[in-house]
Amino acid sequence: MVSSLALGTARWRSTGDRTASADERRQLFERVAQGTGADQQIAVIDTANSYGDSEQLIGGLVDAYGGLPDRVLLQTKADRDFGSGDFSGARMRRSLQESLDRLGLTSLPMVYIHDPENTTWDSAMATDGPVAALVRAKEQGLIDHLGLSGGPVGLMERYLRTGLFEALITHMRYTLVDRSADRLLTVAAELGIGVFNAAPYGGGLLTRWPATTRRYAYGDGNPELLAAADAMGRLCADQRIPLAAAALQFSLRDPRITSTIVGMLSVADLDATIDLAAMELPAALWSELDQLLPPRRTWQDADEL
């Protein structure tokens, strides 16, 4: 069982732009750890081996708190070597050990193989490949649960159908303006696999209207997609609804989605997220937004649909 909202830490950094102070991170962690009142909606902390120094920061907070709270699921991701591109079984084992050392844990509650689209299927599924290494780590008790986190929906479905994974993280592919993962969500539900939907705001485009960015996912948004987002924002504004509330609740209301990962840097972000999740929106809004959906050719995985 997991919470409907998950705390994403991809932007956690000890230094640099768009980060939070040590005190802000501590306050945020403690709010999630204690989980009283509305905060009970958040009991998952999501990180990755590749998320800067987020694992070290979380490990320090866990240690200062006296251990990982029972109510919190801490999940990380095993990553390839970004310098050499190494995505071997040996690299997965090193990634796990790095995460263990940084987080200060003796085992990892939930680990995802991260972005396996960066290797071939045959290499990933080889007897000495990354998937086999993570399965063995689970059998040895180093990992409690094994998940899959990646991009292209067709490839993710192929991995899910192996029966090796208990959970899925999909990102940027099920939002107000992109439904690439629709079939993938249904497949996961049919297989009894938990689904985490990450980045419901599409990397920032759907956080406010008028938009302050033209980017969607990891690049410049398709003009038709940007126009659709603008029309959706205008529709929400006309009804005095924050676009972010519609974007977040679009994910939260889908029964196939177990939890929605939202990046947060501070208690202010946490409070804002909870307020957006609790906002009452008119039932008619969803069909009105669907009418403004951009064509499939603008979606992340249009070539797979």
Side-chain angles (χ1 to χ4, degrees):
M1 300 298 293
V2 300
S3 54
S4 60
L5 287 165
L7 165 60
T9 66
R11 293 189 294 129
W12 278 33
R13 302 286 187 275
S14 57
T15 60
D17 297 334
R18 301 179 66 192
T19 188
S21 69
D23 193 51
E24 286 176 314
R25 289 191 297 269
R26 178 187 58 77
Q27 292 175 16
L28 176 57
F29 180 85
E30 289 179 354
R31 280 276 296 272
V32 173
Q34 293 160 10
T36 59
D39 291 353
Q40 290 181 349
Q41 295 177 77
I42 303 178
V44 179
I45 299 177
D46 178 80
T47 185
N49 182 280
S50 61
Y51 288 172
D53 55 357
S54 68
E55 286 185 324
Q56 294 97 316
L57 296 173
I58 293 168
L61 291 168
V62 169
D63 182 63
Y65 195 78
L68 186 64
D70 291 339
R71 74 175 302 272
V72 173
L73 169 65
L74 176 57
Q75 56 185 35
T76 191
K77 307 176 189 76
D79 276 292
R80 67 192 186 278
D81 184 293
F82 280 77
S84 65
D86 181 8
F87 214 143
S88 64
R91 169 56 203 161
M92 290 298 98
R93 290 189 289 273
R94 289 195 297 272
S95 180
L96 293 179
Q97 189 58 56
E98 290 164 1
S99 294
L100 287 165
D101 293 343
R102 294 166 184 166
L103 294 168
L105 301 176
T106 56
S107 65
L108 299 168
M110 172 74 83
V111 172
Y112 296 80
I113 184 170
H114 200 189
D115 294 339
E117 61 267 30
N118 290 289
T119 188
T120 66
W121 172 265
D122 289 343
S123 295
M125 299 301 296
T127 55
D128 60 348
V131 172
L134 294 174
V135 170
R136 284 194 292 273
K138 181 184 174 185
E139 292 170 347
Q140 294 164 358
L142 198 62
I143 296 173
D144 292 338
H145 302 283
L146 179 59
L148 168 71
S149 176
V153 293
L155 180 61
M156 296 306 104
E157 179 179 339
R158 188 179 184 188
Y159 277 107
L160 291 186
R161 291 193 182 281
T162 65
L164 297 173
F165 302 98
E166 301 168 72
L168 165 73
I169 297 177
T170 182
H171 60 285
M172 307 285 189
R173 286 167 168 81
Y174 199 68
T175 70
L176 285 177
V177 293
D178 189 331
R179 312 293 169 84
S180 296
D182 186 55
R183 171 184 164 82
L184 182 62
L185 298 184
T186 297
V187 169
E190 291 173 346
L191 294 174
I193 292 170
V195 174
F196 287 81
N197 189 34
Y201 306 125
L205 178 65
L206 302 172
T207 55
R208 59 184 57 84
W209 183 86
T212 57
T213 179
R214 294 184 59 80
R215 292 178 65 82
Y216 180 83
Y218 303 111
D220 292 336
N222 179 286
E224 289 179 287
L225 184 145
L226 295 175
D230 184 69
M232 290 178 177
R234 187 181 301 276
L235 171 67
C236 289
D238 288 344
Q239 300 184 42
R240 300 182 182 278
I241 296 168
L243 177 60
L248 178 59
Q249 291 193 32
F250 172 76
S251 179
L252 291 173
R253 69 193 297 269
D254 193 309
R256 299 170 299 176
I257 293 172
T258 313
S259 185
T260 300
I261 301 174
V262 179
M264 305 178 212
L265 293 173
S266 65
V267 167
D269 291 340
L270 182 147
D271 287 336
T273 300
I274 289 174
D275 288 345
L276 291 170
M279 192 170 294
E280 291 190 19
L281 305 185
L285 177 68
W286 304 111
S287 60
E288 295 171 342
L289 288 169
D290 282 344
Q291 292 173 15
L292 299 173
L293 185 67
R296 289 190 176 196
R297 62 178 174 270
T298 69
W299 300 354
Q300 288 285 291
D301 291 334
D303 57 342
E304 297 192 34
L305 303 175

